Amino acid sequence: MYFIPPLLLFLLAGSGAFASEWVDTWWFLPFLISAVLIGLPHGAADWGVLCRLVARKNRARSIRGVAIYSALLLTSTCVVFFTPPLGLVLFLVVSAWHFGGADAHDFGDQFQLKARRRLLWVTAFSRGMLIVTSPFVFRFADMFGACEAWCAMLSSSWIPSEFSNAFQEVILGIFALSAVISMVVMVALLRASNPRAAWWLALETFLLIAIFAFLHPLFALGAYFLCWHSLRHISHLREFSHPGAGLGWLYRLSGPFFFPSLVVIGVLAWGTGSLHSPERTAIILLIFFAIVTPAHQWLVSQEIQSPGPA
């Protein structure tokens, strides 16, 4: 499972170089596919994770876990709807934390680096920042426009255009820092006589930069979310399903969270006049992800990426 996502992204990046017009026209497809295939179900599987947390019959821990998860959902909902620009910034920060942490966790598992906690923390930071800043670095105008569309749908406005240059410089600085840190980690792995891990980290970093360089930034981001992050994450969710569960186990694990999530997305799309526009619906899906990602990340860090038994 670990090596399949990079292969899928490699094929997408290669095809994007020869079909850039098609990719630019259909950039919203990965997000819409993720709503029903893997992306949204992998997040809605929080239901199954919470159920196992409660099933441990540790009353204090169960109440605390459900309370924190609910509080994060409520807080992020208020931030997104009442202060959309702040909600967008927080979404970018939490997404960097979520994507980077997941990739570093899987990287540590694959190359037996769990004991090197500090190295994995640094890897998570650089990977998360790379994924979030790359879309802005290579197609700043497109991403800035997407941010404006996000805020406009929520009856707000993004940062004034006169500050766009300063915002772009900050993004470029963070991107450069993440690239430098990635190289430092590679050198550290080489010095530790782990060339396989070092070269694979180099390959992943180069591949992620390449997809954002050759593809529409939102298509690339959606493709990473669908074909890389979500696909790897479901391998960790298998332990939360019933033994011998057949096809559809992920949807059963998602339980009552999945279909209500689709309803909420539909209501948001209807309320913003986006039902007949796939492009606007994709932005609505991102708004929904902004609401649920903080709670999802907290639960993942506690129950899946915890260094010891949760």
Side-chain angles (χ1 to χ4, degrees):
M1 178 63 77
Y2 185 83
F3 299 102
I4 293 176
L7 175 61
L8 294 176
L9 266 292
F10 174 77
L11 294 175
L12 276 175
S15 62
F18 298 100
S20 58
E21 290 186 8
W22 184 91
V23 170
D24 284 353
T25 302
W26 299 92
W27 62 264
F28 50 83
L29 274 183
F31 286 113
L32 298 186
I33 293 172
S34 73
V36 293
L37 190 58
I38 299 175
L40 185 58
H42 107 273
D46 284 357
W47 168 262
V49 181
L50 284 170
C51 283
R52 198 173 84 163
L53 171 64
V54 174
R56 292 197 190 104
K57 301 188 178 183
N58 183 329
R59 192 173 193 182
R61 179 177 171 80
S62 299
I63 293 174
R64 181 171 61 88
V66 173
I68 292 175
Y69 187 89
S70 302
L72 286 171
L73 268 181
L74 180 61
T75 302
S76 59
T77 300
C78 292
V79 172
V80 166
F81 284 107
F82 292 115
T83 55
L86 178 59
L88 176 52
V89 171
L90 288 178
F91 177 47
L92 293 175
V93 172
V94 174
S95 294
W97 176 24
H98 185 54
F99 292 151
D103 278 11
H105 176 75
D106 293 334
F107 182 72
D109 276 352
Q110 183 64 34
F111 296 100
Q112 291 77 51
L113 296 170
K114 277 187 174 182
R116 304 198 62 177
R117 299 276 302 279
R118 185 175 299 176
L119 181 78
L120 292 179
W121 272 104
V122 173
T123 302
F125 175 81
S126 63
R127 175 62 59 85
M129 291 296 103
L130 184 77
I131 293 169
V132 169
T133 58
S134 290
F136 289 93
V137 167
F138 292 102
R139 298 273 284 271
F140 183 79
D142 288 331
M143 289 302 296
F144 197 83
C147 293
E148 289 178 323
W150 162 299
C151 292
M153 286 185 190
L154 296 173
S155 302
S156 183
S157 59
W158 183 228
I159 59 176
S161 57
E162 56 264 30
F163 295 112
S164 63
N165 288 337
F167 179 67
Q168 188 173 17
E169 289 174 4
V170 171
I171 290 293
L172 286 170
I174 296 174
F175 174 81
L177 178 62
S178 68
V180 169
I181 292 175
S182 294
M183 287 189 286
V184 170
V185 173
M186 294 171 207
V187 171
L189 289 170
L190 287 172
R191 287 183 175 177
S193 301
N194 198 339
R196 184 166 173 262
W199 291 118
W200 188 259
L201 181 63
L203 177 63
E204 285 192 349
T205 303
F206 175 79
L207 179 57
L208 287 170
I209 292 175
I211 67 169
F212 290 108
F214 290 114
L215 303 177
H216 186 285
L218 288 172
F219 185 95
L221 195 59
Y224 165 80
F225 175 67
L226 177 65
C227 301
W228 186 307
H229 173 75
S230 300
L231 197 60
R232 278 185 176 172
H233 191 68
I234 61 174
S235 64
H236 300 295
L237 292 172
R238 258 298 185 183
E239 65 178 278
F240 292 90
S241 64
H242 296 294
L247 294 174
W249 66 269
L250 181 60
Y251 297 94
R252 288 192 290 274
L253 191 65
S254 300
F257 278 8
F258 178 54
F259 290 107
S261 296
L262 290 177
V263 172
V264 170
I265 292 167
V267 170
L268 286 173
W270 174 78
T272 56
S274 305
L275 276 178
H276 302 294
S277 171
E279 297 90 344
R280 289 173 61 87
T281 302
I283 300 295
I284 290 295
L285 192 59
L286 285 171
I287 292 172
F288 179 80
F289 288 150
I291 294 170
V292 300
T293 297
H296 173 64
Q297 167 56 27
W298 176 82
L299 189 64
V300 166
S301 67
Q302 295 295 307
E303 295 295 311
I304 296 177
Q305 296 175 2
S306 177

